[in-house]
């Protein structure tokens, strides 16, 4: 995203809805720029969004395993919201480890996951660690599931 003359990478955390054309970004306060962003960016400001950077899509029709940690949940949350509207029978297990996730958010995600037909495995990293062994023990036929980089594309100019 480019705003106020600075470029910074953020992940889109909303599913696309052509009716309202709204994009949600979840931005973690990790430095001077993100700390000042709420005071500098106002409703109605024009920002430029370009990309995509990386390779992330959900077109693979194989059974999938999603793995995220911390703020890395954002693309999975966007896909989860989309699947909640149009669930599929494609088996998907989402493993998310985080140390600061409130029980309110975890419960919201569990509700969305249930609507989306996705199995959510939340790992509170204050007390547990996510490992490959944990995934293999938790998912039947894990060796046949897709667990690889995926791809997306999006590059509009948006108004907040």
């Amino acid at each position: 995203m480019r705003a106020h003359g600075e470029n910074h990478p953020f992940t889109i955390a909303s599913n696309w809805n052509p009716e309202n054309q709204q994009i949600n970004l979840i931005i973690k306060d990790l430095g001077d720029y993100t700390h000042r962003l709420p005071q500098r960016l106002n409703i109605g400001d024009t920002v430029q969004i370009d990309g995509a950077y990386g390779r992330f899509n959900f077109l693979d029709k194989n059974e999938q395993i999603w793995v995220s940690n911390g703020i890395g949940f954002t693309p999975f949350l966007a896909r989860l919201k989309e699947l909640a509207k149009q669930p599929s029978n494609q088996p998907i297990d989402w493993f998310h480890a985080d140390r600061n996730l409130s029980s309110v958010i975890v419960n919201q995600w569990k509700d969305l996951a249930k609507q989306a037909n996705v199995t959510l495995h939340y790992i509170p990293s204050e007390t547990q660690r996510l490992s490959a062994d944990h995934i293999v023990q938790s998912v039947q036929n894990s060796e046949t599931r897709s667990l690889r980089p995926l791809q997306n594309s999006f590059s509009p100019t948006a108004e907040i």
Side-chain angles (χ1 to χ4, degrees), residues 21-83:
Q21 298 185 11
Q22 181 177 349
I23 297 172
N24 295 325
L25 304 174
I26 297 178
I27 302 170
K28 190 171 186 177
D29 183 355
L30 287 175
D32 291 344
Y33 181 82
T34 53
H35 184 72
R36 291 189 315 260
L37 194 58
Q39 291 80 36
R40 296 179 68 196
L41 194 59
N42 300 296
I43 294 174
D45 286 355
T46 298
V47 298
Q48 181 179 348
I49 299 176
D50 62 16
Y53 301 98
R55 300 176 47 79
F56 207 86
N57 77 37
F58 296 93
L59 300 177
D60 183 346
K61 297 302 179 198
N62 293 327
E63 298 175 356
Q64 295 181 357
I65 297 174
W66 303 346
V67 180
S68 60
N69 182 22
I71 196 70
F73 70 83
T74 54
F76 299 105
L77 182 60
R79 179 62 176 160
L80 189 68
K81 289 177 179 179
E82 187 175 327
L83 286 173

Side-chain angles (χ1 to χ4, degrees), residues 100-107 122:
N100 295 318
L101 210 53
S102 74
S103 60
V104 172
I105 297 295
V106 171
N107 289 332
Y122 173 65

